[in-house]
Amino acid sequence: MSLTIPSSLSGTGPSAEAVGAPLSGASKPRTYEVRTFGCQMNVHDSERMAGLLEDAGYVPAEGGQADVVVFNTCAVRENADNKLYGNLGILAPVKAANPGMQIAVGGCLAQKDRETILKKAPWVDAVFGTHNVGALPALLDRARHNDEAQLEILESLDVFPSTLPTKRDSVYSGWVSISVGCNNTCTFCIVPALRGKEKDRRPGDILAEIQALVDDGAIEVTLLGQNVNSYGLEFGDRQAFSKLLRACGDIQGLERVRFTSPHPAAFTDDVIDAMAETANVMPQLHMPLQSGSDSILRAMKRSYRSTKFLGILDKVREKIPHAAISTDIIVGFPGETEEDFQATLDVVEQSRFATAFTFQYSKRPGTPAAELPDQLPKSVVQERFERLTALQDRIAAEENRKQVGRRVEVMVTAQSGRKAGETHRLSGRSRDQRLVHFSVPDGAPAPRPGDLVTVTITEAASFHLVADPTLEDYSLRRSRAGDAWDRSQADSCGAPVPGAGTGAKGVSLGMPPLPVRTR
């Protein structure tokens, strides 16, 4: 679907000089900002949007109002609509006061709402969907050239997104898509309608992208797919995903491999074996439950039951005893009774999740669940949500307390926690993906993002661990990823940090910008 795009401007995108060049009379290239809502897929898509814009001559906004603001949207929950239109409303007077400013909307909500966005927010310049991320620079240029909004929505993928330019958020860790789209028909989910049927990348292309990341200094990758377990069915190999995990183990310099998300119905023993037997695949698993009630799972069209789900966790923990397991849970699905909800609480109690991403059911037009009878009152859903989160908070705290006294390897990350100014602690992720805040003893060398420290856990809370080591207990291993961080800071002219070692630059240490929520 394409509107107001002249045929003379279709096809290949304009040159960098045409797109990112400054407005007439300006002396600087145009600046951009990408605002991301949603899942890991959206975060990775935003990296591509940034890469496309920089390839076209734009530069990141460094304070002040960006010339181009791009919203990469989610459509999974109702508040995604409110968040987008609220932000667009805030920008309307900003754009009116800044002639030449442009606003673009892409992602799942753009794929779904299409013309509605331009009707509700006619000051938007470009709308593009999930299948044509690569059109962004051309649409912005056309909007400027024609002085009218551009809408381009494709119904199927025009080019696999991983072939597009990408500006990675992190030099030490990266996302790698192994597939896009989904073949499942979960009644609550609108993703298949917006991202299409699953399309798998060839293993060689995936491994080549991982190798390129490692060559650039990354030591951690996360493999992305709507359902990673079904990877390979398109080209006839039902064990392709486990083979891919094992192949990652052969990449020199790749120290941490993670993946998201699997589907319980398709999770097979060969994947568990590959996780247990491949040294750089981390002892961490995200396994979406959604509901512990078999009747609700049936209504959701989730083709597994609670017994199978718990059996998977037992197998994983048998092979990987210290695995940290997280999950997704929906509260208040249509028709959920108190008995159904109690079944969910029972499964959560048995599962002992390290963390859970819990959501109140959100009615999404276009999904079968939106038409089901017995939609629950908000007050009932809210009360159940609070009971579930209280249970999971208790379990998470109990599981984290088991980590006290353990020595863990932590990969230092590049944003500081909220209380870092008070505690003077840095932050990072353990091998099992737990968040660890740690202090550097007096006289010990300071790590860089991407470096690895080994410390003993001294305190635990529901959502994080704390380590305050002595000098003797603190171990630092400088890594290629830390070297890559130094190079990135040198490229951006960061100032040296006193006492941080030769080549270290001004950085803020702590959490990475990952879409993680615990409630």
Side-chain angles (χ1 to χ4, degrees):
M1 178 181 188
S2 180
L3 299 179
T4 67
I5 300 180
S7 58
S8 62
L9 290 176
S10 63
T12 58
S15 66
E17 290 77 17
V19 179
L23 298 174
S24 177
S27 59
K28 297 180 180 179
R30 286 168 62 79
T31 60
Y32 78 89
E33 175 190 0
V34 180
R35 301 184 187 180
T36 308
F37 306 135
C39 65
Q40 294 96 330
M41 294 288 186
N42 280 34
V43 172
H44 193 24
D45 284 346
S46 290
E47 291 182 331
R48 296 188 181 106
M49 294 174 193
L52 284 160
L53 291 171
E54 294 198 11
D55 198 52
Y58 293 84
V59 297
E62 299 287 350
Q65 179 58 53
D67 296 315
V68 172
V69 177
V70 182
F71 291 94
N72 186 14
T73 64
C74 173
V76 172
R77 294 172 60 77
E78 185 177 7
N79 64 6
D81 304 50
N82 300 332
K83 184 178 291 187
L84 172 66
Y85 293 117
N87 276 271
L88 291 176
I90 292 170
L91 281 184
V94 177
K95 181 178 178 182
N98 290 271
M101 178 185 172
Q102 291 185 293
I103 301 171
V105 179
C108 291
L109 193 61
Q111 188 81 22
K112 180 177 77 74
D113 278 7
R114 306 183 181 208
E115 297 97 335
T116 302
I117 293 173
L118 294 179
K119 290 177 181 177
K120 289 187 174 182
W123 54 92
V124 169
D125 298 274
V127 178
F128 60 100
T130 59
H131 299 307
N132 61 324
V133 171
L136 173 59
L139 292 174
L140 291 169
D141 187 59
R142 292 168 187 167
R144 291 173 63 195
H145 182 275
N146 297 346
D147 195 26
E148 62 183 355
Q150 303 294 302
L151 168 65
E152 183 174 290
I153 304 290
L154 300 186
E155 299 303 330
S156 61
L157 204 63
D158 60 345
V159 60
F160 203 93
S162 292
T163 63
L164 300 173
T166 302
K167 183 189 178 185
R168 303 280 178 176
D169 278 344
S170 166
V171 297
Y172 47 83
S173 180
W175 310 98
V176 176
S177 291
I178 68 172
S179 63
V180 295
C182 184
N183 295 334
N184 292 315
T185 57
C186 303
T187 57
F188 57 81
C189 185
I190 199 169
V191 168
L194 302 181
R195 290 190 177 266
K197 292 293 185 180
E198 181 176 319
K199 298 291 293 182
D200 294 336
R201 296 177 71 191
R202 301 300 299 187
D205 293 337
I206 296 168
L207 294 171
E209 182 178 352
I210 294 172
Q211 185 65 63
L213 282 171
V214 172
D215 291 345
D216 284 342
I219 61 173
E220 178 183 72
V221 298
T222 300
L223 306 177
L224 289 179
Q226 297 294 154
N227 178 9
V228 293
N229 298 126
S230 63
Y231 172 73
L233 294 183
E234 188 179 13
F235 49 83
D237 188 348
R238 291 185 175 273
Q239 294 193 341
F241 184 60
S242 62
K243 292 175 183 177
L244 182 63
L245 290 178
R246 292 184 185 276
C248 287
D250 295 329
I251 298 177
Q252 296 297 313
L254 179 60
E255 299 198 26
R256 296 186 171 196
V257 178
R258 308 186 190 277
F259 59 87
T260 194
S261 288
H263 191 294
F267 199 75
T268 50
D269 290 351
D270 61 297
V271 174
I272 299 174
D273 291 340
M275 293 175 64
E277 297 166 9
T278 308
N280 61 2
V281 176
M282 294 294 94
Q284 173 242 335
L285 176 66
H286 184 73
M287 182 63 68
L289 170 63
Q290 306 303 2
S291 175
S293 162
D294 289 350
S295 63
I296 295 298
L297 289 172
R298 192 175 298 111
M300 289 178 169
K301 283 198 172 181
R302 300 284 288 180
S303 48
Y304 58 88
R305 300 297 174 255
S306 58
T307 300
K308 178 180 176 66
F309 183 90
L310 290 168
I312 291 172
L313 302 197
D314 288 342
K315 289 180 180 180
V316 170
R317 286 174 169 142
E318 179 183 356
K319 293 290 182 71
I320 314 168
H322 294 297
I325 299 176
S326 57
T327 197
D328 297 330
I329 302 173
I330 296 173
V331 177
F333 188 81
E336 180 188 75
T337 64
E338 180 61 28
E339 182 180 16
D340 292 322
F341 178 65
Q342 184 59 51
T344 295
L345 296 179
D346 292 343
V347 173
V348 170
E349 187 74 68
Q350 295 176 70
S351 298
R352 309 300 295 178
F353 297 117
T355 188
F357 302 85
T358 55
F359 306 92
Q360 298 184 37
Y361 169 75
S362 181
K363 185 176 180 179
R364 305 306 292 136
T367 62
E371 306 302 321
L372 290 176
D374 300 323
Q375 302 280 331
L376 271 61
K378 168 67 176 175
S379 59
V380 172
V381 178
Q382 180 67 36
E383 189 270 339
R384 291 178 182 173
F385 178 80
E386 291 173 0
R387 285 160 59 195
L388 175 61
T389 54
L391 171 63
Q392 177 54 39
D393 289 355
R394 172 179 65 77
I395 292 171
E398 291 170 354
E399 293 301 306
N400 276 353
R401 281 197 290 272
K402 295 177 183 178
Q403 309 303 311
V404 174
R406 286 187 60 196
R407 283 185 65 74
V408 298
E409 181 189 70
V410 178
M411 188 175 79
V412 184
T413 49
Q415 285 182 342
S416 42
R418 289 183 297 119
K419 296 183 179 179
E422 304 169 25
T423 64
H424 305 291
R425 293 187 181 113
L426 309 181
S427 301
R429 292 280 170 173
S430 62
R431 288 170 58 84
D432 65 9
Q433 193 66 344
R434 283 183 165 92
L435 171 62
V436 180
H437 300 306
F438 67 96
S439 57
V440 178
D442 290 341
R448 307 160 298 180
D451 284 340
L452 298 116
V453 299
T454 301
V455 292
T456 299
I457 301 303
T458 54
E459 299 177 35
S462 293
F463 308 123
H464 67 269
L465 303 173
V466 173
D468 287 323
T470 63
L471 186 60
E472 293 74 20
D473 186 51
Y474 173 85
S475 173
L476 166 65
R477 176 161 63 91
R478 293 190 176 275
S479 72
R480 296 165 43 260
D483 295 341
W485 174 267
D486 274 351
R487 290 193 298 272
S488 72
Q489 297 304 288
D491 290 343
S492 62
C493 301
V497 177
T502 303
K505 305 296 175 181
V507 298
S508 173
L509 303 180
M511 280 294 297
L514 300 181
V516 175
R517 68 189 296 272
T518 53
R519 297 180 66 114

